[in-house]
């Protein structure tokens, strides 16, 4: 075997398995019925070893593929010793390794004789799986039963024979069942293609050689990752972030703390202290939370090499059960995209203290699930439109963050959906799709811009739902970069009527739309990288000329003053930048034991300020602020004005100092991020 499996043969077999996955993807893409799948590519494929490790994937969505081993393991545990040729397993249960209920997974074991060889698997986003609203994802869900049909691992085929009764029951509880059936058969077809190609590889090379190639490929991926981790300084690094809830109509952030420990060639991400799970869609499963850690590390340190399970062996994830990062029944679990991006954000925040040259500003905070659906009298059928407008990615050392583009946890998912497809498939008219100015965080490298889309309902009635996060706490910048603008959505009444804002920003459940109403969706902007005053003035002028940055923001955030012809006024710019630098409020760090306040469910960090310091920084009671040494990612807190605090000082605890890479007695900048009571459409700081 060793003579046969030289380095060239190993690479040939590695790429052959990846090619199998690419052909699976092509099959799904060309045969599925849902717009979300064939047009937007919201699906993923993978190959798994008999022990459930992912061994090959291609341009798939990391947030689908990386959690899939949990699903495969759950299925294997359910049918241990009872799987044979022709059996096919269907599931979507988040508590058993799924993501959210819309992501339906087909697991297709392939045997060589009596020996299990591989599991081809397909995870497709079905635009509706039942539940309380069209599209299944509601920002108002209080339990998982409202989010759709939950499918534990079931044999949808046994010995090649379809379990028609089970499939009929499932489809009877889903909207637009003909589309769901078409998507199901597309996934089956992809797995059959994989089976054919796997058999061809086995016939040519033999299963033993093929499995040895898999073993070596996993081992070399592990070795690469261990080398990357070993190059980092040992220690424990902290960061913290928040998710958003509105109990009783009042905003309450839920704390997500991270302790990231690096010891030699191993890494441990510990989320002990995370808020307990709540009856609101801000929870997710252990599979999603752990996969989010893996995605962040892989993307930062080993992005070029193919993805497989070996990369994740040196990484341990601790996520206490019953918390927002390890949800249990019956709490809703539809917000996997929001937890995923928040876990990634905490990883970015911690890694900014370790490898600042390798990280970027925070990405767009949310998957921004927008759902519009109803019954169309003209076509006499139900319809569901699923929209996830692409947001801005974080700026990084070499360049500005991409705008309205899939972040790194989304693979090649299409994030700007075709207006023509929307208008021909649904009773909607797309009136506007544009990049929204001033949404990217200011920085030496600017954060990517959000997309804004306006759609008018041409049918009689529909319902609109939104499951998102980051409408109150926006994407942060790093190394002095500023925050992006948060997500926002609103409804403009027909005929230029009043604007309807939602009292729970980012979370809407079944809002009724009437013919002529317009839904406006604005995704989030990415965080900036580096001090915006260090951005070359000519680049800011170019941004203004392109409509990316307004004249007002150029002056207030970048300190760039433009003359009437759009050229940089160099003298005025120098004065304005000096004025901004001089106006930054920096306070001396003094020791504090407790920098948190408890809420009904969770706790939040507070920033206690002397009234004079608060006034100088333009900060009021309850405002959201950032603490920043410009050495890593900023620390978010809510202001409390307290005359007992000595003027010129900033009480801060040991963890806060660690996050800021600061010591007692050093100066830490305090700046306003969002005013208390402001909505997501308000332009803070501009």
């Amino acid at each position: 075997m060793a003579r046969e499996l030289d380095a060239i043969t190993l690479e040939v077999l590695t790429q052959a398995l990846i090619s199998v996955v690419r052909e699976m993807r092509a099959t799904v893409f060309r045969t599925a019925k849902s717009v979300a799948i064939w047009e937007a590519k919201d699906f993923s494929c993978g190959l798994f070893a008999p022990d459930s490790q992912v061994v090959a994937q291609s341009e798939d969505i990391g947030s689908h593929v990386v959690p899939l081993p949990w699903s495969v393991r759950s299925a294997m545990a359910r049918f241990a010793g009872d799987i044979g040729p022709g059996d096919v397993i269907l599931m979507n249960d988040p508590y058993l390794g799924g993501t959210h209920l819309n992501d339906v997974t087909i697991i297709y074991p392939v045997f060589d004789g009596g020996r299990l060889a591989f599991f081809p698997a397909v995870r497709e986003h079905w635009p509706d799986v039942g539940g309380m609203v069209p599209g299944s994802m509601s920002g108002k869900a209080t339990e998982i039963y409202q989010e759709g049909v939950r499918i534990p691992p079931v044999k949808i085929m046994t010995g090649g024979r379809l379990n028609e009764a089970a499939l009929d029951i499932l489809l009877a509880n889903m909207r637009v069942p003909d589309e769901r059936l078409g998507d199901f058969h597309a996934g089956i077809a992809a797995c059959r293609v994989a089976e054919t190609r796997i058999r061809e590889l086995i016939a040519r090379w033999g299963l033993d050689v093929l499995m040895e190639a898999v073993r070596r490929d996993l081992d070399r991926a592990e070795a690469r990752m261990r080398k990357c981790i070993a190059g980092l300084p040992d220690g424990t690094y902290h960061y913290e972030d928040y998710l958003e809830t509105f109990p009783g109509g009042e905003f309450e952030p839920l704390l997500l703390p991270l302790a990231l420990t690096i010891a030699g060639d191993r890494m441990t991400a510990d989320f002990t202290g995370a808020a307990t799970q709540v009856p609101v869609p801000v929870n997710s499963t252990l599979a999603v939370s752990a996969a989010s850690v893996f995605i962040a590390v892989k993307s930062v340190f080993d992005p070029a090499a193919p993805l497989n399970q070996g990369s994740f062996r040196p990484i341990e994830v601790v996520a206490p059960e019953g918390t927002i990062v390890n949800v249990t029944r019956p709490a809703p679990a539809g917000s996997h995209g929001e937890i995923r991006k928040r876990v990634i954000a905490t990883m970015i925040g911690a890694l900014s203290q370790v490898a600042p040259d390798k990280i970027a500003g925070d990405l767009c905070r949310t998957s921004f699930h927008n759902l519009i659906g109803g019954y169309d009298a003209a076509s006499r059928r139900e319809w569901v439109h699923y929209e996830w407008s692409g947001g801005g990615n974080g700026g990084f050392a070499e360049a500005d963050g991409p705008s309205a583009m899939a972040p790194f946890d989304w693979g090649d998912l299409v994030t700007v959906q075709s207006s023509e497809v929307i208008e021909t498939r649904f009773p909607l008219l797309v009136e506007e799709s544009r990049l929204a100015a001033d949404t990217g965080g200011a920085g030496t490298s600017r954060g990517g811009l959000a997309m804004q889309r306006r759609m008018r309902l041409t049918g009689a009635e529909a319902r609109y739902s939104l499951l998102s996060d980051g409408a109150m706490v926006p994407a942060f910048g790093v190394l002095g970069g500023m925050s992006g603008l948060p997500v926002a959505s609103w409804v403009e009444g027909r005929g230029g009527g009043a604007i309807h804002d939602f009292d729970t920003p980012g979370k809407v459940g079944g809002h009724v739309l009437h013919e002529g109403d317009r839904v406006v969706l604005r995704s989030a902007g990415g965080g900036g990288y580096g001090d915006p005053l260090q951005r070359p003035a000519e680049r800011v002028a170019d941004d203004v000329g392109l409509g990316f940055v307004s004249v007002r923001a150029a002056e207030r955030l970048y300190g760039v003053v433009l003359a009437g012809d759009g050229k940089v006024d160099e003298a005025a710019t120098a004065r304005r930048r000096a004025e901004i630098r001089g106006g930054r409020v920096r306070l001396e760090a003094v020791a504090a034991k407790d920098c948190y306040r408890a809420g009904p469910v969770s706790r939040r960090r507070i920033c206690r300020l002397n009234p004079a310091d608060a006034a100088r920084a333009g900060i009021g009671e309850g405002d959201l602020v950032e603490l920043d040494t410009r050495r890593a990612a900023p620390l978010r807190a809510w202001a409390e004005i307290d005359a007992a605090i000595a003027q010129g000082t900033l009480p801060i605890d040991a963890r806060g100092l660690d996050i800021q890479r600061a010591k007692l007695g050093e100066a830490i900048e305090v700046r306003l991020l969002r005013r208390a009571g402001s909505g997501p459409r308000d332009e803070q700081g501009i």
Side-chain angles (χ1 to χ4, degrees), residues 39-82:
E39 206 273 333
K41 301 182 184 178
D42 195 354
F43 71 94
S44 295
C45 305
L47 281 183
F48 297 82
D51 62 359
S52 304
Q53 294 190 86
V54 58
V55 300
Q57 60 96 228
S58 63
E59 296 79 21
D60 299 272
I61 301 171
S63 57
H64 281 172
V65 172
V66 181
L68 255 172
W70 278 265
S71 295
V72 178
R73 282 197 296 270
S74 296
M76 293 307 97
R78 169 67 179 82
F79 296 108
D82 187 28

Side-chain angles (χ1 to χ4, degrees), residues 591-607:
K593 290 184 178 179
D594 184 12
C595 287
Y596 296 91
R597 286 289 178 267
V601 175
S602 184
R603 59 194 182 114
R604 72 180 79 180
R605 178 175 287 275
I606 60 167
C607 174

Side-chain angles (χ1 to χ4, degrees), residues 411-433:
D412 69 343
L413 187 69
V414 174
T415 53
V416 181
Q417 297 173 59
S418 163
S419 298
E420 292 78 8
V421 171
I422 292 171
E423 292 173 352
T424 55
R425 293 293 295 263
F426 311 116
L428 296 168
L429 179 67
V430 180
E431 297 186 336
E432 173 189 57
S433 297

Side-chain angles (χ1 to χ4, degrees), residues 80-93:
D82 187 28
I83 297 178
D87 291 352
V88 179
I89 299 164
L90 187 74
M91 65 179 297
N92 73 348
D93 193 335

